[in-house]
Amino acid sequence: MRLSDQIVSLTLEHLELVLVAIAVASTLAIPGAILLTRRAGLRGAMVGFANIVQTVPSLALFGFLLPIPFIGGIGKHTAIIALCLYAILPILRNTLVGLLGVDAAVRESAVAMGMTPNQILRQVELPLAAPSILAGVRIATVTTIGTATIAAAIGAGGLGVFIFQGIASVNSVMILAGAIPAALMAVLADEGLEWIERRCSPF
Amino acid sequence: MIPAASAVLEIRNLSCRIGGRQILRDINLTVAAGETVVLLGRSGCGKTTLLKCVNRLVESTDGEILFQGRLLAEWDPFRMRRSMGYVIQDAGLFPHWTVAANAGLVPKLENWEPEALQKRVEFLLHAVGLPPADFAGRYPRQLSGGQKQRVGIARALAADPPLLLMDEPFAAVDPITRFELQKHFLSLRATMQKAALFVTHDVREALMLATRIVLLKDGAIDVVASPDRFRAAATEEARAFLASLDGIQ
């Protein structure tokens, strides 16, 4: 296979890892944060847990997951679970910040005007929190693109394959063939999601 | 006890305790259509809590409240709140909605037809002195404090509720704007005949707007009087409030 074809196929694989991980992390973290705004007691514990996960070095986390039955093993799903765990914190935290940051006077008048909790969530809290939530997704996406290069270490593929091969054979061109597309992907994701963020801003 | 035919709101033996602290003690009060009952008192006297008991933003611990002759507990809380206009100090407008959308919130929740809703909003914006051609499409951040308060009043009046609850609605604007809003409130009251429960710590505002002043002290009613009689009230708390007027002459 030519190098250029290989770059394309590994980039697509990389993108797949990131997209699946971010999609799963978002579907867990956004509703999770909504629940946590209603349960102040659980909030500290959950954010603390997500914080702790974030401090585990990524290579170590991939390693820890390997021997766990059903979750672990060589391949994509282990990598996706690990990437997901990392992506949850920024999304969870930003969603919480956005929802809790809604002006108390706005919330009080929403209740006093006779809106149901569901109407308040959909028509007031989520639209006002949208920029913050999307910023969380953007931060998570950009860091996941970087972290996903390490997934190659457990056989998940992606652009990390080039980087690990390049390191093993002391081949800078090979390392760059993995690093440059990954960096480009991160920049594009950052710009694109920032554009969406601006479009979704309620102001 | 049979409620008077015109009583929109009747509060009987109401007490409220929050976190072991007695906030309100044995409050009895009726508000009839066309009446503005002003709850006057120092900060922390329980006047805002009393107001919030009426639309169940705060749950009272003892006693009962009747709204339009029905116990609050018998009302669906969402319907009940949509039947009470609510105006607060910071207006609490939705920053991501236009003036028209903010003013039309309650009719929208009640699923009014779009044409009826739009007509109502235009009528109300005129009524509060904000020509819709100029203001309907603006966002709250494009309004002055006084204009926001006017939208807040339009929103409270939108579904034509029999009762208005107002929590220091004019406290955060400059004195000239406040005086304009107060005069406007009086002219709206003359045409609309609402019952209003109005919280303030400003004795001048109480004397200007009230048909009846209820002075609260430490969570209990100290004086109930018309503004004229209130000027002659003899309790220590009433004298303290009236003395604050004398400094000006």
Side-chain angles (χ1 to χ4, degrees), chain A residues 108-109 111-114 123 202, chain B residues 57 81-82 86 92 96 155:
Chain A
E108 185 183 307
S109 34
V111 176
M113 291 295 139
Q123 297 180 39
Chain B
L57 290 185
R81 287 173 185 147
R82 289 171 200 173
Y86 188 68
H96 58 308
R155 178 176 68 176

Side-chain angles (χ1 to χ4, degrees), chain A residues 49-57 85-90 143:
Chain A
F49 173 74
N51 263 322
I52 288 169
V53 172
Q54 201 79 3
T55 62
V56 179
L85 286 171
Y86 282 114
I88 282 174
L89 178 70
T143 52

Side-chain angles (χ1 to χ4, degrees), chain B residues 1-18:
Chain B
M1 241 193 323
I2 300 156
S6 58
V8 175
L9 182 71
E10 191 173 350
I11 298 171
R12 293 179 186 161
N13 309 103
L14 187 88
S15 293
C16 183
R17 208 174 298 111
I18 298 172

